[in-house]
Amino acid sequence: MSADAEGIMAILLMGAATYATRIGGFLLIRRFKPGPFLEAWFGHVPGAVFAALVAPSVWQAGLAGWAGAAIGFGAMCWTGQFLPSLVLSVLAFFLARHFL
């Protein structure tokens, strides 16, 4: 088998494995009704993933990053809306970056 054929085979197998895990989870959740704890946990997963992705960038951005995060957190507490909070956070970051 050539290197190109091995690469294509590896990509196809990884795609099949990814698809199998996704469809397996979908079929499993369709078949069984999750309890209240699991439903609450599923509700918090997107926020936790977003925080885990954003936290290292905020830490490395210094004062401007902390300012943007604080404004975004305050806006989220005030409005309860994700998109306006994100826009205000990014705007605060750019303003702090420019003026600090």
Side-chain angles (χ1 to χ4, degrees):
M1 198 179 252
S2 70
D4 290 336
E6 287 177 2
I8 291 172
M9 183 63 78
I11 290 170
L12 290 174
L13 289 173
M14 286 186 278
T18 300
Y19 180 75
T21 58
R22 289 181 181 204
I23 197 69
F26 175 74
L27 292 174
L28 186 66
I29 206 73
R30 248 183 56 194
R31 186 162 174 87
F32 299 104
K33 174 84 171 110
F37 173 77
L38 193 57
E39 284 186 9
W41 184 76
F42 282 150
H44 292 292
V45 168
V49 169
F50 181 74
L53 292 173
V54 170
S57 298
V58 168
W59 183 263
Q60 290 178 343
L63 186 58
W66 286 102
I71 295 295
F73 180 76
M76 188 65 186
C77 289
W78 182 48
T79 66
Q81 300 280 328
F82 179 73
L83 189 58
S85 302
L86 183 64
V87 169
L88 286 174
S89 179
V90 170
L91 182 63
F93 170 76
F94 283 121
L95 289 174
R97 188 81 177 241
H98 182 57
F99 290 113
L100 295 179

